[in-house]
Amino acid sequence: SPPPFPGGNGIVIQKSDIIFDGLHHTIYGQPSSGFGFAGNGIEIRNGSNITIKNVNITRFSCGIYLTYSINVKVMNSSLIWNQNGIDGWPASNCSVINNNFEDIYGSAICFDDGNNNEVLYNRVFDAEYGITINTDNSIVSGNNIAECYPSGISVGGYYNSVSNNTILNTKYSIRIGGSHNIVANNTILHTVVGIWGDGIDVWGDYNIICNNMINLTSQCNGIYVLNVNHNIIDKNIIANN
């Protein structure tokens, strides 16, 4: 493999209207002198209309970091063995589509602050936090998430949609802390004994939880609603708990 970046960022983009095609090459980071990794594989600062595709990123503090950026698309890439996968703060109108995340020690995908983001058709395996959305009017759909502890999908904003995701062997599969969100048509499964937690946690008001299929082991709660009001919970199938 090529020599790693010595604790700094791999690539920094500070312009707009950029297409970065990695052609399936790998950007290697280097563990820091202390615990964990250092630097960002790709960092986008104050950028817009940027596409990142077909790149492998490994051994960084954050694989792809977006700050004060809009209209950024990350697609068809692989982020393996990083502290965090993709982190946007703040970021709006961004898309994370058809990427692979494995061995992530923090969040695989996280958007903190912003709106109108979409996270679609990604595979997340073995992360601490799978997908975390603290933005508004965003979509999380068609993702496959497995073996994330403690949570698979966490939503803390307003007017978001979480649909058609499959979450396997994850402690708290979906956690809804915001309001006016829709959680529909998701499949949540535990196939091994010994996992405890909840299928769907509801911590906010005015959410709709419908048409989800939840099949968990006996140590788990199917849907857990904690001291909140005006939620609609309808037509969910809950088994083996």
Side-chain angles (χ1 to χ4, degrees):
S1 63
F5 289 91
N9 296 322
I11 295 170
V12 177
I13 298 174
Q14 293 180 279
K15 293 184 177 293
S16 298
D17 304 310
I18 299 290
I19 297 176
F20 177 87
D21 189 341
L23 299 174
H24 304 288
H25 292 292
T26 300
I27 304 173
Y28 289 87
Q30 177 174 289
S32 65
S33 58
F35 174 78
F37 303 110
N40 302 314
I42 297 176
E43 182 172 318
I44 300 175
R45 304 173 185 168
N46 301 294
S48 64
N49 302 317
I50 295 170
T51 297
I52 306 294
K53 63 181 181 178
N54 303 324
V55 62
N56 305 313
I57 302 173
T58 186
R59 303 195 301 186
F60 284 96
S61 177
C62 186
I64 300 175
Y65 182 66
L66 316 175
T67 180
Y68 294 98
S69 296
I70 60 173
N71 296 322
V72 176
K73 181 181 289 186
V74 180
M75 58 190 298
N76 303 330
S77 295
S78 183
L79 295 93
I80 297 176
W81 198 35
N82 297 284
Q83 185 71 32
N84 297 287
I86 296 175
D87 193 358
W89 184 90
S92 295
N93 300 102
C94 295
S95 301
V96 179
I97 303 173
N98 195 38
N99 301 285
N100 181 56
F101 301 83
E102 294 183 31
D103 297 326
I104 303 295
Y105 299 101
S107 297
I109 303 168
C110 180
F111 283 105
D112 274 321
D113 197 5
N115 55 73
N116 298 311
N117 298 300
E118 56 182 9
V119 180
L120 308 175
Y121 312 119
N122 300 281
R123 176 183 178 271
V124 179
F125 177 77
D126 191 16
E128 186 172 0
Y129 299 93
I131 299 170
T132 301
I133 301 293
N134 292 315
T135 64
D136 302 329
N137 299 298
S138 296
I139 298 172
V140 179
S141 183
N143 302 283
N144 288 288
I145 301 169
E147 298 188 22
C148 293
Y149 301 93
S151 64
I153 298 173
S154 297
V155 175
Y158 298 85
Y159 301 102
N160 299 293
S161 173
V162 178
S163 66
N164 298 301
N165 302 283
T166 298
I167 306 172
L168 177 68
N169 294 335
T170 292
K171 183 175 179 181
Y172 298 107
S173 297
I174 299 177
R175 312 188 86 174
I176 303 298
S179 296
H180 300 281
N181 299 293
I182 297 174
V183 179
N185 300 308
N186 300 283
T187 299
I188 299 171
L189 299 172
H190 286 179
T191 61
V192 297
V193 176
I195 298 174
W196 63 273
D198 302 324
I200 300 175
D201 281 350
V202 183
W203 293 7
D205 301 323
Y206 298 100
N207 297 292
I208 298 174
I209 315 296
C210 66
N211 297 314
N212 300 283
M213 197 282 283
I214 304 170
N215 193 328
L216 307 178
T217 57
S218 60
Q219 297 96 332
C220 303
N221 300 306
I223 299 175
Y224 185 78
V225 181
L226 180 65
N227 298 325
V228 291
N229 300 293
H230 308 293
N231 292 286
I232 296 174
I233 300 174
D234 187 35
K235 298 178 180 178
N236 301 281
I237 298 173
I238 305 171
N240 292 342
N241 65 334

mmCIF file of all heavy atoms in Angstrom, residues 63-93:
data_model
loop_
_atom_site.group_PDB
_atom_site.id
_atom_site.type_symbol
_atom_site.label_atom_id
_atom_site.label_comp_id
_atom_site.label_asym_id
_atom_site.label_seq_id
_atom_site.Cartn_x
_atom_site.Cartn_y
_atom_site.Cartn_z
ATOM 1 N N GLY A 63 -13.751 9.990 7.716
ATOM 2 C CA GLY A 63 -13.521 9.687 6.316
ATOM 3 C C GLY A 63 -13.779 10.883 5.418
ATOM 4 O O GLY A 63 -12.915 11.308 4.647
ATOM 5 N N ILE A 64 -14.991 11.452 5.515
ATOM 6 C CA ILE A 64 -15.364 12.636 4.740
ATOM 7 C C ILE A 64 -16.036 13.621 5.686
ATOM 8 O O ILE A 64 -17.047 13.286 6.316
ATOM 9 C CB ILE A 64 -16.300 12.287 3.576
ATOM 10 C CG1 ILE A 64 -15.614 11.293 2.618
ATOM 11 C CG2 ILE A 64 -16.717 13.547 2.826
ATOM 12 C CD1 ILE A 64 -16.512 10.792 1.502
ATOM 13 N N TYR A 65 -15.475 14.810 5.781
ATOM 14 C CA TYR A 65 -15.999 15.823 6.697
ATOM 15 C C TYR A 65 -16.488 17.021 5.894
ATOM 16 O O TYR A 65 -15.739 17.605 5.095
ATOM 17 C CB TYR A 65 -14.915 16.258 7.682
ATOM 18 C CG TYR A 65 -15.386 17.273 8.702
ATOM 19 C CD1 TYR A 65 -16.329 16.918 9.654
ATOM 20 C CD2 TYR A 65 -14.893 18.573 8.702
ATOM 21 C CE1 TYR A 65 -16.776 17.828 10.594
ATOM 22 C CE2 TYR A 65 -15.334 19.500 9.633
ATOM 23 C CZ TYR A 65 -16.274 19.114 10.579
ATOM 24 O OH TYR A 65 -16.721 20.044 11.505
ATOM 25 N N LEU A 66 -17.762 17.391 6.090
ATOM 26 C CA LEU A 66 -18.371 18.524 5.404
ATOM 27 C C LEU A 66 -18.640 19.621 6.425
ATOM 28 O O LEU A 66 -19.297 19.371 7.445
ATOM 29 C CB LEU A 66 -19.698 18.126 4.757
ATOM 30 C CG LEU A 66 -19.759 16.793 4.002
ATOM 31 C CD1 LEU A 66 -21.181 16.527 3.541
ATOM 32 C CD2 LEU A 66 -18.811 16.816 2.820
ATOM 33 N N THR A 67 -18.151 20.817 6.164
ATOM 34 C CA THR A 67 -18.440 21.924 7.066
ATOM 35 C C THR A 67 -18.869 23.147 6.262
ATOM 36 O O THR A 67 -18.210 23.513 5.281
ATOM 37 C CB THR A 67 -17.236 22.238 7.977
ATOM 38 O OG1 THR A 67 -17.568 23.315 8.840
ATOM 39 C CG2 THR A 67 -15.981 22.569 7.190
ATOM 40 N N TYR A 68 -19.998 23.711 6.636
ATOM 41 C CA TYR A 68 -20.573 24.862 5.946
ATOM 42 C C TYR A 68 -20.650 24.611 4.445
ATOM 43 O O TYR A 68 -20.231 25.441 3.633
ATOM 44 C CB TYR A 68 -19.779 26.136 6.256
ATOM 45 C CG TYR A 68 -19.877 26.539 7.707
ATOM 46 C CD1 TYR A 68 -18.884 26.202 8.613
ATOM 47 C CD2 TYR A 68 -20.995 27.215 8.180
ATOM 48 C CE1 TYR A 68 -18.989 26.538 9.953
ATOM 49 C CE2 TYR A 68 -21.112 27.561 9.526
ATOM 50 C CZ TYR A 68 -20.108 27.213 10.405
ATOM 51 O OH TYR A 68 -20.224 27.548 11.742
ATOM 52 N N SER A 69 -21.220 23.468 4.099
ATOM 53 C CA SER A 69 -21.276 23.064 2.701
ATOM 54 C C SER A 69 -22.704 22.699 2.315
ATOM 55 O O SER A 69 -23.492 22.237 3.143
ATOM 56 C CB SER A 69 -20.344 21.876 2.449
ATOM 57 O OG SER A 69 -19.001 22.245 2.673
ATOM 58 N N ILE A 70 -23.029 22.898 1.028
ATOM 59 C CA ILE A 70 -24.362 22.581 0.515
ATOM 60 C C ILE A 70 -24.223 21.865 -0.828
ATOM 61 O O ILE A 70 -23.223 22.004 -1.531
ATOM 62 C CB ILE A 70 -25.243 23.842 0.359
ATOM 63 C CG1 ILE A 70 -24.609 24.837 -0.616
ATOM 64 C CG2 ILE A 70 -25.494 24.496 1.703
ATOM 65 C CD1 ILE A 70 -25.512 26.019 -0.931
ATOM 66 N N ASN A 71 -25.248 21.075 -1.131
ATOM 67 C CA ASN A 71 -25.308 20.375 -2.415
ATOM 68 C C ASN A 71 -24.053 19.519 -2.653
ATOM 69 O O ASN A 71 -23.406 19.599 -3.695
ATOM 70 C CB ASN A 71 -25.495 21.362 -3.570
ATOM 71 C CG ASN A 71 -26.819 22.104 -3.499
ATOM 72 O OD1 ASN A 71 -27.835 21.530 -3.132
ATOM 73 N ND2 ASN A 71 -26.795 23.379 -3.811
ATOM 74 N N VAL A 72 -23.737 18.705 -1.659
ATOM 75 C CA VAL A 72 -22.620 17.763 -1.780
ATOM 76 C C VAL A 72 -23.195 16.357 -1.902
ATOM 77 O O VAL A 72 -24.080 15.965 -1.137
ATOM 78 C CB VAL A 72 -21.679 17.852 -0.572
ATOM 79 C CG1 VAL A 72 -20.580 16.795 -0.674
ATOM 80 C CG2 VAL A 72 -21.074 19.244 -0.460
ATOM 81 N N LYS A 73 -22.692 15.601 -2.860
ATOM 82 C CA LYS A 73 -23.128 14.219 -3.058
ATOM 83 C C LYS A 73 -21.937 13.286 -2.857
ATOM 84 O O LYS A 73 -20.887 13.483 -3.467
ATOM 85 C CB LYS A 73 -23.714 14.030 -4.449
ATOM 86 C CG LYS A 73 -24.224 12.616 -4.729
ATOM 87 C CD LYS A 73 -24.783 12.486 -6.138
ATOM 88 C CE LYS A 73 -26.089 13.234 -6.260
ATOM 89 N NZ LYS A 73 -26.714 12.996 -7.596
ATOM 90 N N VAL A 74 -22.124 12.255 -2.015
ATOM 91 C CA VAL A 74 -21.115 11.218 -1.804
ATOM 92 C C VAL A 74 -21.737 9.900 -2.233
ATOM 93 O O VAL A 74 -22.770 9.491 -1.689
ATOM 94 C CB VAL A 74 -20.655 11.143 -0.343
ATOM 95 C CG1 VAL A 74 -19.604 10.057 -0.174
ATOM 96 C CG2 VAL A 74 -20.116 12.494 0.131
ATOM 97 N N MET A 75 -21.102 9.222 -3.184
ATOM 98 C CA MET A 75 -21.751 8.034 -3.737
ATOM 99 C C MET A 75 -20.733 6.971 -4.143
ATOM 100 O O MET A 75 -19.579 7.260 -4.465
ATOM 101 C CB MET A 75 -22.611 8.417 -4.944
ATOM 102 C CG MET A 75 -21.854 9.091 -6.059
ATOM 103 S SD MET A 75 -22.919 9.790 -7.352
ATOM 104 C CE MET A 75 -23.731 8.308 -7.942
ATOM 105 N N ASN A 76 -21.181 5.721 -4.056
ATOM 106 C CA ASN A 76 -20.422 4.571 -4.560
ATOM 107 C C ASN A 76 -19.015 4.501 -3.986
ATOM 108 O O ASN A 76 -18.058 4.165 -4.691
ATOM 109 C CB ASN A 76 -20.355 4.610 -6.091
ATOM 110 C CG ASN A 76 -21.721 4.643 -6.739
ATOM 111 O OD1 ASN A 76 -22.688 4.118 -6.192
ATOM 112 N ND2 ASN A 76 -21.826 5.280 -7.892
ATOM 113 N N SER A 77 -18.883 4.797 -2.703
ATOM 114 C CA SER A 77 -17.576 4.807 -2.052
ATOM 115 C C SER A 77 -17.579 3.873 -0.845
ATOM 116 O O SER A 77 -18.637 3.440 -0.379
ATOM 117 C CB SER A 77 -17.196 6.228 -1.630
ATOM 118 O OG SER A 77 -17.029 7.055 -2.776
ATOM 119 N N SER A 78 -16.386 3.570 -0.344
ATOM 120 C CA SER A 78 -16.238 2.648 0.780
ATOM 121 C C SER A 78 -15.403 3.318 1.867
ATOM 122 O O SER A 78 -14.305 3.808 1.592
ATOM 123 C CB SER A 78 -15.582 1.356 0.316
ATOM 124 O OG SER A 78 -15.497 0.422 1.373
ATOM 125 N N LEU A 79 -15.929 3.341 3.082
ATOM 126 C CA LEU A 79 -15.237 3.925 4.226
ATOM 127 C C LEU A 79 -15.133 2.846 5.300
ATOM 128 O O LEU A 79 -16.135 2.479 5.933
ATOM 129 C CB LEU A 79 -15.970 5.153 4.748
ATOM 130 C CG LEU A 79 -16.015 6.337 3.749
ATOM 131 C CD1 LEU A 79 -17.282 6.293 2.912
ATOM 132 C CD2 LEU A 79 -15.930 7.666 4.480
ATOM 133 N N ILE A 80 -13.924 2.325 5.475
ATOM 134 C CA ILE A 80 -13.696 1.190 6.360
ATOM 135 C C ILE A 80 -12.583 1.536 7.348
ATOM 136 O O ILE A 80 -11.554 2.093 6.969
ATOM 137 C CB ILE A 80 -13.313 -0.057 5.548
ATOM 138 C CG1 ILE A 80 -14.473 -0.451 4.614
ATOM 139 C CG2 ILE A 80 -12.956 -1.225 6.456
ATOM 140 C CD1 ILE A 80 -14.162 -1.618 3.708
ATOM 141 N N TRP A 81 -12.833 1.194 8.597
ATOM 142 C CA TRP A 81 -11.863 1.363 9.682
ATOM 143 C C TRP A 81 -11.463 2.830 9.837
ATOM 144 O O TRP A 81 -10.311 3.215 9.705
ATOM 145 C CB TRP A 81 -10.642 0.470 9.465
ATOM 146 C CG TRP A 81 -9.832 0.280 10.719
ATOM 147 C CD1 TRP A 81 -10.299 0.196 11.989
ATOM 148 C CD2 TRP A 81 -8.408 0.152 10.812
ATOM 149 N NE1 TRP A 81 -9.277 0.027 12.869
ATOM 150 C CE2 TRP A 81 -8.094 -0.016 12.176
ATOM 151 C CE3 TRP A 81 -7.383 0.154 9.890
ATOM 152 C CZ2 TRP A 81 -6.790 -0.151 12.634
ATOM 153 C CZ3 TRP A 81 -6.081 -0.002 10.343
ATOM 154 C CH2 TRP A 81 -5.789 -0.142 11.695
ATOM 155 N N ASN A 82 -12.473 3.658 10.116
ATOM 156 C CA ASN A 82 -12.279 5.063 10.463
ATOM 157 C C ASN A 82 -12.959 5.332 11.803
ATOM 158 O O ASN A 82 -13.854 4.590 12.218
ATOM 159 C CB ASN A 82 -12.886 5.976 9.400
ATOM 160 C CG ASN A 82 -12.228 5.815 8.038
ATOM 161 O OD1 ASN A 82 -11.126 6.291 7.806
ATOM 162 N ND2 ASN A 82 -12.912 5.126 7.130
ATOM 163 N N GLN A 83 -12.555 6.414 12.462
ATOM 164 C CA GLN A 83 -13.254 6.804 13.687
ATOM 165 C C GLN A 83 -14.706 7.163 13.367
ATOM 166 O O GLN A 83 -15.632 6.698 14.017
ATOM 167 C CB GLN A 83 -12.541 7.984 14.348
ATOM 168 C CG GLN A 83 -13.124 8.375 15.699
ATOM 169 C CD GLN A 83 -12.837 7.364 16.795
ATOM 170 O OE1 GLN A 83 -11.798 6.715 16.783
ATOM 171 N NE2 GLN A 83 -13.760 7.210 17.716
ATOM 172 N N ASN A 84 -14.905 8.009 12.358
ATOM 173 C CA ASN A 84 -16.237 8.355 11.867
ATOM 174 C C ASN A 84 -16.234 8.234 10.349
ATOM 175 O O ASN A 84 -15.190 8.407 9.700
ATOM 176 C CB ASN A 84 -16.623 9.779 12.279
ATOM 177 C CG ASN A 84 -16.704 9.947 13.783
ATOM 178 O OD1 ASN A 84 -17.630 9.458 14.425
ATOM 179 N ND2 ASN A 84 -15.740 10.623 14.363
ATOM 180 N N GLY A 85 -17.401 7.974 9.779
ATOM 181 C CA GLY A 85 -17.483 7.813 8.337
ATOM 182 C C GLY A 85 -17.654 9.137 7.615
ATOM 183 O O GLY A 85 -16.702 9.703 7.081
ATOM 184 N N ILE A 86 -18.890 9.643 7.582
ATOM 185 C CA ILE A 86 -19.210 10.939 6.975
ATOM 186 C C ILE A 86 -19.860 11.801 8.032
ATOM 187 O O ILE A 86 -20.818 11.387 8.692
ATOM 188 C CB ILE A 86 -20.146 10.774 5.767
ATOM 189 C CG1 ILE A 86 -19.453 9.975 4.658
ATOM 190 C CG2 ILE A 86 -20.601 12.128 5.246
ATOM 191 C CD1 ILE A 86 -20.350 9.661 3.472
ATOM 192 N N ASP A 87 -19.354 13.018 8.193
ATOM 193 C CA ASP A 87 -19.863 13.942 9.210
ATOM 194 C C ASP A 87 -20.115 15.291 8.552
ATOM 195 O O ASP A 87 -19.222 15.859 7.917
ATOM 196 C CB ASP A 87 -18.842 14.083 10.343
ATOM 197 C CG ASP A 87 -19.427 14.774 11.564
ATOM 198 O OD1 ASP A 87 -20.619 15.178 11.514
ATOM 199 O OD2 ASP A 87 -18.710 14.913 12.563
ATOM 200 N N GLY A 88 -21.349 15.793 8.665
ATOM 201 C CA GLY A 88 -21.694 17.096 8.110
ATOM 202 C C GLY A 88 -22.135 18.058 9.189
ATOM 203 O O GLY A 88 -23.103 17.796 9.911
ATOM 204 N N TRP A 89 -21.403 19.196 9.318
ATOM 205 C CA TRP A 89 -21.788 20.204 10.312
ATOM 206 C C TRP A 89 -21.289 21.585 9.903
ATOM 207 O O TRP A 89 -20.080 21.803 9.892
ATOM 208 C CB TRP A 89 -21.216 19.871 11.681
ATOM 209 C CG TRP A 89 -21.687 20.844 12.719
ATOM 210 C CD1 TRP A 89 -22.812 20.755 13.493
ATOM 211 C CD2 TRP A 89 -21.074 22.084 13.079
ATOM 212 N NE1 TRP A 89 -22.933 21.853 14.303
ATOM 213 C CE2 TRP A 89 -21.872 22.696 14.065
ATOM 214 C CE3 TRP A 89 -19.930 22.766 12.640
ATOM 215 C CZ2 TRP A 89 -21.566 23.932 14.640
ATOM 216 C CZ3 TRP A 89 -19.625 24.002 13.205
ATOM 217 C CH2 TRP A 89 -20.442 24.557 14.201
ATOM 218 N N PRO A 90 -22.186 22.524 9.624
ATOM 219 C CA PRO A 90 -23.545 22.228 9.170
ATOM 220 C C PRO A 90 -23.526 21.870 7.691
ATOM 221 O O PRO A 90 -22.600 22.221 6.981
ATOM 222 C CB PRO A 90 -24.283 23.536 9.417
ATOM 223 C CG PRO A 90 -23.230 24.590 9.282
ATOM 224 C CD PRO A 90 -21.932 23.970 9.745
ATOM 225 N N ALA A 91 -24.549 21.195 7.238
ATOM 226 C CA ALA A 91 -24.613 20.760 5.841
ATOM 227 C C ALA A 91 -26.080 20.651 5.437
ATOM 228 O O ALA A 91 -26.897 20.123 6.191
ATOM 229 C CB ALA A 91 -23.895 19.429 5.661
ATOM 230 N N SER A 92 -26.384 21.135 4.239
ATOM 231 C CA SER A 92 -27.756 21.104 3.740
ATOM 232 C C SER A 92 -27.781 20.655 2.285
ATOM 233 O O SER A 92 -26.810 20.836 1.545
ATOM 234 C CB SER A 92 -28.401 22.497 3.853
ATOM 235 O OG SER A 92 -28.534 22.894 5.202
ATOM 236 N N ASN A 93 -28.901 20.056 1.899
ATOM 237 C CA ASN A 93 -29.105 19.594 0.523
ATOM 238 C C ASN A 93 -27.996 18.631 0.085
ATOM 239 O O ASN A 93 -27.551 18.664 -1.068
ATOM 240 C CB ASN A 93 -29.196 20.779 -0.439
ATOM 241 C CG ASN A 93 -30.349 21.712 -0.108
ATOM 242 O OD1 ASN A 93 -30.137 22.769 0.479
ATOM 243 N ND2 ASN A 93 -31.554 21.320 -0.441
#
